[in-house]
Amino acid sequence: MSSEQLLEQLRRDVVTGIFIAGEKLPIDALRQRYGAGLSPLREVLNRLAATGLIEQLPQRGFRVPALTRADLEDVASLRIELETRALRDALIHGDDHWLDEVMACLYRLKRTPLRPDADVEQWEMCHRAFHLALIGACPSPWRRRFVGVLYDQFDRYRRAAPERPDLRDTLDAHHEQLATLAERRQVEEAVALLERHIQLSFEVALDCLPHSA
Amino acid sequence: MSSEQLLEQLRRDVVTGIFIAGEKLPIDALRQRYGAGLSPLREVLNRLAATGLIEQLPQRGFRVPALTRADLEDVASLRIELETRALRDALIHGDDHWLDEVMACLYRLKRTPLRPDADVEQWEMCHRAFHLALIGACPSPWRRRFVGVLYDQFDRYRRAAPERPDLRDTLDAHHEQLATLAERRQVEEAVALLERHIQLSFEVALDCLPHSA
DNA sequence: TTTCATCATAAAATCGATTTTTTGCACTAT
DNA sequence: ATAGTGCAAAAAATCGATTTTATGATGAAA
């Protein structure tokens, strides 16, 4: 498996929750799991550690960061701040080609079923592609980069949380409405909706934590 | 040289401009330069590539990213956005221990001379420590992380630009004023000053680019 | 003269083995 | 019984060698 694919595979597996939060990632076990060599594997782990998707403890290997309420709140609020502005700029600067891409992602997302028995990973990829496509016309590469990082961080929580069938339709409707508002360049409405969308997802994600308090 | 030190050394050398922007970073040359082994070196390069301080071209090694006006404007504006908010939150949440740290960094910075003949690197380290100390009490780890990334990116430009003795005193005064405003918890004044400070540094940094247009 | 293909060189990426460090356990002394 | 020490096993980090891939030069054909 090439280094490029390995990075993507490992990123996905961490976000998916294949590895439990807080769990250690023993190099040899990963080596076997992915059939990868030592060097490419360590390089990929270093890359993921640099973006915060995994942690490195010097001389003690790598581990998956724990899920905490404080971190989730931090990720969610910063994501709202950066992503709403990214959406605003995308709606202002986006051209027809960008809209095509958004619509294409929307239709792929709509036609991909989200059921426990189906391939959830397929839906997740479409969902991610749609959100990133929405801000694809944001003219700030650094903002897009940070939004991408926060999206993955957020997703670790959301995907660790139990399903909420009562909210599924609302969240799905948001996606369609966001695309429509993007098409009509209704900036303020779109920004407000995206904030609500992330806020609602945040509340869903909270359920992955022990609700003692 | 340990992996930890190697990372810090290489980060510093890239920001300092030891390597010319756009230049290729041949592994073997780096291996010699730092007396490092292949594996630790490649791991460090991968980490830096993940944060954007260097670029990786698959199968073609690593290079230092070019300096462009568009990138500088992107970095500067996002830095202003994230760092002013970080300062606001720091002033609101910071305790006495944080203030001690800010003042300690300020005094180290003030007593460190900035002259071409002296050890510029020493001043740069103090300058960085001061700015990061200012936002040290910001309660959002992710915001602090992103600010740190943008600080380094910004510094590549600032340090590539020629000296501006006419602005030196103003910029130095800003640091002292920022510390004073932090001590007095004058949030709005501090935030406004930090924005001006970065804006002025941005104008200095612009001089590292060919001023054709 | 230009373009394309081929080969030789150099560089990057990967691999397997070695070294270093940590960790868990048994043993001893208090 | 507990705290501390030493040892053995396991894991991480590093190294040198090998393999793979890109690059630049050479020569042949159009």
Side-chain angles (χ1 to χ4, degrees), chain B residues 8-26 29-30 33-34 54 64 67 119-121 155-156 159-160:
Chain B
E8 177 57 20
Q9 188 64 50
L10 204 47
R11 184 197 66 77
R12 199 180 306 165
D13 288 350
V14 170
V15 173
T16 305
I18 301 281
F19 307 108
I20 311 300
E23 185 181 23
K24 225 170 153 303
L25 295 171
L30 295 178
R33 185 178 215 282
Y34 297 103
I54 65 177
V64 182
L67 300 175
D119 186 2
V120 175
E121 204 50 45
D155 248 24
R156 288 187 64 224
R159 300 186 63 172

Side-chain angles (χ1 to χ4, degrees), chain B residues 39-115:
Chain B
S39 307
L41 181 56
R42 283 190 58 88
E43 288 178 21
V44 162
L45 288 171
N46 271 277
R47 290 189 89 118
L48 292 173
T51 58
L53 211 51
I54 65 177
E55 288 176 342
Q56 177 165 32
L57 303 89
Q59 313 296 343
R60 286 186 220 179
F62 299 87
R63 63 170 58 244
V64 182
L67 300 175
T68 71
R69 172 146 192 151
D71 182 59
L72 174 56
E73 286 174 353
D74 189 17
V75 168
S77 75
L78 200 49
R79 186 185 161 200
I80 288 175
E81 177 181 330
L82 290 178
E83 195 167 331
T84 53
R85 171 67 187 275
L87 182 64
R88 166 172 277 116
D89 293 347
L91 259 62
I92 292 170
H93 293 99
D95 58 10
D96 286 350
H97 179 263
W98 161 72
L99 254 185
D100 290 347
E101 191 63 31
V102 169
M103 290 306 171
C105 288
L106 175 67
Y107 291 132
R108 271 196 291 275
L109 180 59
K110 279 172 65 175
R111 105 164 84 82
T112 307
L114 176 56
R115 279 175 274 102

Side-chain angles (χ1 to χ4, degrees), chain B residues 168-188:
Chain B
R168 189 67 265 151
D169 287 348
T170 303
L171 290 166
D172 283 342
H174 283 172
H175 297 138
E176 186 136 20
Q177 289 160 13
L178 281 168
T180 303
L181 292 171
E183 194 172 30
R184 297 185 189 153
R185 311 286 170 158
Q186 298 183 325
V187 176
E188 298 311 321

Side-chain angles (χ1 to χ4, degrees), chain A residues 43 47 56 74 81 140, chain B residues 42 47 56 74 140 143:
Chain A
E43 289 177 22
R47 291 188 89 115
Q56 177 167 33
D74 189 17
E81 177 182 330
S140 163
Chain B
R42 283 190 58 88
R47 290 189 89 118
Q56 177 165 32
D74 189 17
S140 164
R143 185 182 301 273

